[in-house]
Amino acid sequence: MNYSLRTFAVVLLLAGFVRRTNAQESPAVINAAFPGGNITVDSVRGNTVYIRPDLRDTGQDWFYWYFAAIPAKNDSITFRFPRSNCMTVSGPAVSTDKGKTWKWLDPGNALPDRFIYFGKAGEEVRFSMGMPYTRENFDRFFKPYRKQPSVNVESLCTTPKGRVIEKIIIGPPGKTPARYKVLLTARHHACEMMASYVLEGIIQTLLSKDKNIVALRENTEFMIIPFIDKDGVEDGDQGKARVPRDHNRDYNGESIYCSTGTLRSIVPKWSGGDLKVAMDLHCPWIKGNLNEHIYLVGNSDETIANQETEFMKHLAANNRGEVKYDPEKGIVPFGTAWNTASNYSQGTSFDEWASGLEGIRLATTFEIPYSVNGTQLLNPGNLRDFGKDVAVSILQYLRSSSE
């Protein structure tokens, strides 16, 4: 469904073209007609709006949603979900500036299946299960860096919907030839937006003028793909368990997506056997247990798994920011929890594919929670700071592993 039709359907629903328990004026107009928007409105009863994630693209139950509401009057509105796994332990995120900035609505008093907002008549407010990040966010962030001499922005490919997927090359300072190459990717699953803020922090650090960073970056070239599933990000899809194939299971046989297929084609030629680190940024399940801690996904290859442990040591040593990486919970070894062979039966993942590339030392997946890391509340600022710690750790890992 295109945006205009989706909005029209929701407006009709809230205007009164559905059966209700009472004939009361709609509390708000709901809109998902913007990049990343996703919601299904089931019914309206009094000042309660019954909503759920739109699962149009996925073959299993998932939890991503993002919508705007314009209250009809100054009053409280209850938004209620049919199940408890649609919000993080921090409740919903809220934005009053059309998605430019976000905060957690009421992290200390989140209810499992609903939230209440006291709105002002006619003033739009946006809500989401996380803090959405689309092409607009990236363009705004990356604009100051585009013309730096060590930056080259190219097209990886053009999606079936006509969107260009960016391929960013960050080369060594000056004319120093690259001795090491690093591949960074994000958004194999469209909804996993919190990882994008970490990627921002990595890029900020790599392009810093700090003398220590410049020295560490000598001899190292990065290829960065900010949006593997760009159509999904912009359309507001779940992306996880996408039908007919998950982007992160599209690395064997003939790839069905242009981003994964093109990446598989160009990386071996670009790296020339010098690719040492391949890292894919993700977010896990919405809450609970492992999902509230930052961790690396343990590789099935024992040699590479040992390198994950080495990288973890660097990250623990360089962890200067507010968001703390706990080495005790920092790796989910292969064969434990969800990280088993059966979870990859649908196809080969990015890190499995990268593990077989010539010269590779470290191929891994980083899982960044949606709202909390232990007891720490996550937000774009502290996730960017964590990205700085990751960038320094990658550079120091490369230097130490070459000694």
Side-chain angles (χ1 to χ4, degrees), residues 35-298:
N38 176 300
I39 201 66
T40 294
V41 179
D42 286 328
S43 63
V44 179
R45 303 174 195 172
N47 267 25
T48 299
V49 183
Y50 291 81
I51 55 176
R52 56 186 168 87
D54 187 341
L55 301 178
R56 58 187 176 269
D57 69 299
T58 185
Q60 67 185 62
D61 205 6
W62 216 245
F63 46 75
Y64 174 74
W65 53 271
Y66 173 27
F67 68 90
I70 303 176
K73 56 185 178 180
N74 297 337
D75 200 357
S76 62
I77 304 171
T78 298
F79 297 94
R80 186 165 182 174
F81 296 92
R83 53 187 173 83
S84 61
N85 283 330
C86 291
M87 287 190 290
T88 73
V89 292
S90 306
V94 59
S95 172
T96 55
D97 56 6
K98 297 185 182 297
K100 291 184 177 64
T101 60
W102 291 89
K103 65 180 181 179
W104 296 105
L105 180 60
D106 193 10
N109 298 290
L111 296 171
D113 65 346
R114 73 197 76 177
F115 66 92
I116 300 171
Y117 184 77
F118 192 94
K120 295 182 180 179
E123 293 188 10
E124 181 186 283
V125 59
R126 293 189 182 184
F127 303 102
S128 178
M129 55 71 57
M131 298 183 171
Y133 190 102
T134 65
R135 177 195 58 80
E136 181 181 359
N137 297 85
F138 184 78
D139 286 350
R140 185 166 54 245
F141 156 73
F142 198 65
K143 185 177 180 180
Y145 300 108
R146 282 184 176 270
K147 294 184 179 180
Q148 287 199 17
S150 58
V151 173
N152 188 18
V153 182
E154 303 171 358
S155 169
L156 178 70
C157 65
T158 301
T159 72
K161 295 187 177 182
R163 298 181 176 107
V164 173
I165 295 180
E166 296 88 350
K167 177 184 69 176
I168 299 167
I169 303 294
I170 298 177
K175 297 182 179 180
T176 307
R179 181 181 176 187
Y180 309 115
K181 295 191 177 178
V182 177
L183 173 62
L184 302 175
T185 57
R187 309 300 283 276
H188 273 86
H189 300 139
C191 69
E192 296 176 6
M193 79 292 278
M194 302 303 277
S196 290
Y197 296 108
V198 175
L199 184 61
E200 279 194 359
I202 293 173
I203 294 172
Q204 282 179 328
T205 305
L206 295 179
L207 295 176
S208 165
K209 295 181 181 179
D210 182 277
K211 292 181 180 179
N212 292 325
I213 299 299
V214 172
L216 283 171
R217 199 160 62 80
E218 188 178 14
N219 305 325
T220 306
E221 180 173 294
F222 289 76
M223 178 188 290
I224 301 173
I225 315 297
F227 302 104
I228 289 288
D229 181 11
K230 195 170 189 181
D231 280 344
V233 170
E234 295 298 299
D235 290 348
D237 292 344
Q238 307 294 324
K240 180 72 173 181
R242 179 181 286 283
V243 176
R245 199 175 192 187
D246 188 306
H247 279 72
N248 201 34
R249 297 295 183 271
D250 196 34
Y251 286 87
N252 63 296
E254 184 175 351
S255 295
I256 67 174
Y257 303 112
C258 76
S259 56
T260 51
T262 305
L263 200 66
R264 291 172 68 188
S265 173
I266 68 170
V267 166
K269 300 173 186 176
W270 164 73
S271 69
D274 294 328
L275 181 66
K276 303 306 176 187
V277 176
M279 184 176 291
D280 190 23
L281 302 178
H282 282 258
C283 299
W285 173 247
I286 192 169
K287 59 186 172 185
N289 300 325
L290 293 173
N291 309 300
E292 293 173 12
H293 294 277
I294 294 172
Y295 65 88
L296 297 171
V297 178

